[in-house]
Each structure stands twice: as structure tokens, then as C-alpha cells.
């Protein structure tokens, strides 16, 4: 079975540009999470969807960040405009819930110059 | 808010030895879930082991086992017969129960484990 699929794997762009990260969760999983990993802050939740509905977006840094889940098989995380401090690895994870483990994608390494 | 503490930023052991990584957490909940994830240099996040707090028995997965001390809020990971492929960052993580309404993972800061040939 395919795991969580994220794209792109790497993204390098200039400050001020719009960045869109994509995620396809595992089929049948009804919860999807976006995490960010940095040296300074470690792994932190950005937003959590359950059945395509945002449940917890308290980790979204500011209005420059937005996330959508238009259907059960696709989610996007958008940064507009991007800033150098947004440079990080962004992970998407999915699970069936009920205390089951979250399965992670390979992450997107984002570099904002 | 729940917090997870990993007090060992780095560890190294000889191949074939046993190593224990420590983790403590803070919660007022009685039922919850704990996990260890491994992140090798490839940056994948790989599940190592899962523990349900209402189960007394310590979880085991092949060479990996945990020592879960609920009263002490401690959740250590033991790796037996360590192998070169075990070299990675190891993250301890906490998850609230489903009825809490939020199943996000709260991670510790990680322990960088190096297995020496």
C-alpha cells in the first residue's frame, strides 16, 4: 500500500513568493496533520484535519499560512508571501484515529532565500 | 498543556550493545498513548513502538522495548543488540485519547543516537 505522499520533496524559492506544499494521505485515513520541523522549535503541529474539517489550527504561525483539505485524498499548505524564517521541513501525517499511530510522509524541505 | 522531555540530546554506543533512551512527560489525563519515532538521516519519520497508557504490559517490537512507568510519567526505550542501522534521531511523542477531541502528537526534542562499529 502507498504511504503518505508529499510533494515536492525539496523547494527553493525567493522571499515573497507563494509556496504550495501538497499531501495525499493514506486511503481510509480520516485524520490529517501538518507538522513543521526546525532546529530551534523541533517538531510542532501546524494544523489538524478530521474528516476534512480543520480541528486545531492553533499552530499556524500567522495569516501568511493557510491550509485546505478539499477532499479525503488531498491537502495543501500554502505560504504567501514566504519569508526566510519559514525555511524548515514540513511533514504531513495521517491516521485512522482512535489512538492509532500517525504515518508520516517523507517531508518537504523548504528553503526561502 | 502536555509536555514531553528528552534529557539526553546525544548518545553513542558500540554495535551489539544495549542502550536506553529516556523520556518523561506531563499530563493530567489518565488514558493516553505514547510513541517512539525514529528519524534516520534520510529524514523519514518511522514508527518504532506504541504504548497504550491503560495497558500495564510494556510494549515490545523485536529488539525494541519500553519501560513504561505511569505513576512516574516515564517512558524509556531500550534497544537491544544495537545495529548500525539504528543510528538516528529518536523522538518520544504523546497523544491524547480520542475523546479529548484532538489527537495531535506532542514531541520531545529528540535524542541523537550513534551506533559505533
Amino acid at each position: 500500500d502507498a504511504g503518505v505522499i508529499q510533494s515536492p520533496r525539496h523547494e527553493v524559492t525567493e522571499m515573497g513568493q507563494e509556496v504550495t506544499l501538497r499531501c495525499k494521505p493514506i486511503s481510509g485515513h480520516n485524520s490529517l496533520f501538518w507538522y513543521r520541523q526546525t532546529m530551534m522549535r523541533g517538531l510542532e503541529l501546524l494544523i489538524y484535519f478530521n474528516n476534512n474539517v480543520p480541528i486545531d489550527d492553533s499552530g499556524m504561525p500567522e495569516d501568511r499560512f493557510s491550509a485546505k483539505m478539499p477532499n479525503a485524498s488531498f491537502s495543501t499548505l500554502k505560504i504567501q508571501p514566504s519569508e526566510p524564517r519559514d525555511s524548515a521541513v514540513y511533514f504531513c501525517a495521517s491516521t485512522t484515529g482512535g489512538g492509532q499511530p500517525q504515518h508520516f510522509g517523507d517531508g518537504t524541505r523548504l528553503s526561502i532565500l | 498543556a502536555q509536555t514531553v522531555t528528552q534529557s539526553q540530546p546525544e548518545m553513542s554506543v558500540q554495535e551489539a550493545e544495549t542502550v536506553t533512551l529516556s523520556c518523561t512527560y506531563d499530563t493530567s489525563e489518565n488514558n493516553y498513548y505514547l510513541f517512539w519515532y525514529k528519524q534516520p538521516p534520510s529524514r523519514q519519520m518511522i514508527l518504532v513502538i506504541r504504548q497504550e497508557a491503560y495497558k500495564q504490559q510494556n510494549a515490545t517490537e523485536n529488539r525494541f522495548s519500553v519501560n513504561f512507568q505511569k505513576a512516574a510519567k516515564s517512558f524509556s526505550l531500550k534497544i537491544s543488540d544495537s545495529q548500525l542501522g539504528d543510528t538516528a534521531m529518536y523522538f518520544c511523542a504523546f497523544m491524547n485519547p480520542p475523546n479529548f477531541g484532538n489527537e495531535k502528537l506532542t514531541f520531545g526534542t529528540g535524542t541523537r543516537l550513534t551506533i559505533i562499529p
Side-chain angles (χ1 to χ4, degrees):
Chain A
D1 287 341
V4 176
I5 299 172
Q6 288 187 247
S7 65
R9 184 159 173 80
H10 304 279
E11 174 90 11
V12 181
T13 191
E14 293 188 347
M15 184 175 69
Q17 297 298 306
E18 179 178 289
V19 173
T20 300
L21 310 183
R22 297 172 176 79
C23 176
K24 177 179 170 58
I26 294 172
S27 177
H29 285 191
N30 60 350
S31 294
L32 183 142
F33 303 79
W34 284 99
Y35 294 93
R36 180 170 65 176
Q37 185 177 30
T38 61
M39 290 294 292
M40 292 296 294
R41 299 174 66 89
L43 278 153
E44 53 182 349
L45 177 78
L46 296 177
I47 189 166
Y48 154 39
F49 292 90
N50 183 253
N51 292 324
N52 312 338
V53 176
I55 303 298
D56 180 357
D57 65 355
S58 59
M60 295 287 268
E62 49 199 88
D63 292 345
R64 297 185 299 106
F65 284 68
S66 63
K68 294 182 180 179
M69 192 164 186
N71 57 61
S73 59
F74 185 65
S75 177
T76 58
L77 178 68
K78 188 173 293 187
I79 308 172
Q80 168 63 20
S82 58
E83 297 183 1
R85 59 190 168 127
D86 302 330
S87 297
V89 177
Y90 291 81
F91 285 103
C92 177
S94 71
T95 180
T96 53
Q100 294 303 308
Q102 294 180 17
H103 297 264
F104 284 74
D106 288 344
T108 295
R109 180 175 294 280
L110 177 63
S111 298
I112 308 298
L113 306 178
Chain B
Q2 286 78 17
T3 58
V4 178
T5 301
Q6 293 179 251
S7 58
Q8 305 152 310
E10 293 188 25
M11 296 185 72
S12 60
V13 294
Q14 293 289 138
E15 189 176 6
E17 289 186 349
T18 294
V19 61
T20 299
L21 281 57
S22 64
C23 172
T24 58
Y25 57 93
D26 186 27
T27 184
S28 57
E29 300 296 318
N30 188 47
N31 294 326
Y32 46 87
Y33 301 87
L34 296 163
F35 304 86
W36 280 97
Y37 280 86
K38 165 185 175 180
Q39 187 178 40
S42 64
R43 85 164 180 249
Q44 292 174 296
M45 290 289 288
I46 301 166
L47 175 70
V48 175
I49 206 162
R50 169 182 178 266
Q51 175 77 42
E52 301 176 31
Y54 57 86
K55 287 190 175 179
Q56 299 278 354
Q57 188 172 8
N58 289 323
T60 299
E61 288 288 344
N62 301 314
R63 297 183 296 107
F64 299 87
S65 61
V66 298
N67 183 5
F68 174 49
Q69 300 290 327
K70 191 173 184 179
K73 297 180 182 176
S74 171
F75 182 60
S76 60
L77 175 70
K78 185 171 84 170
I79 306 174
S80 303
D81 185 26
S82 57
Q83 301 175 359
L84 298 180
D86 297 333
T87 292
M89 280 288 285
Y90 286 81
F91 292 96
C92 178
F94 173 98
M95 179 193 289
N96 281 309
N99 61 1
F100 198 78
N102 191 332
E103 293 190 74
K104 70 178 183 181
L105 288 171
T106 300
F107 288 92
T109 51
T111 295
R112 183 176 301 280
L113 176 65
T114 301
I115 308 301
I116 303 166

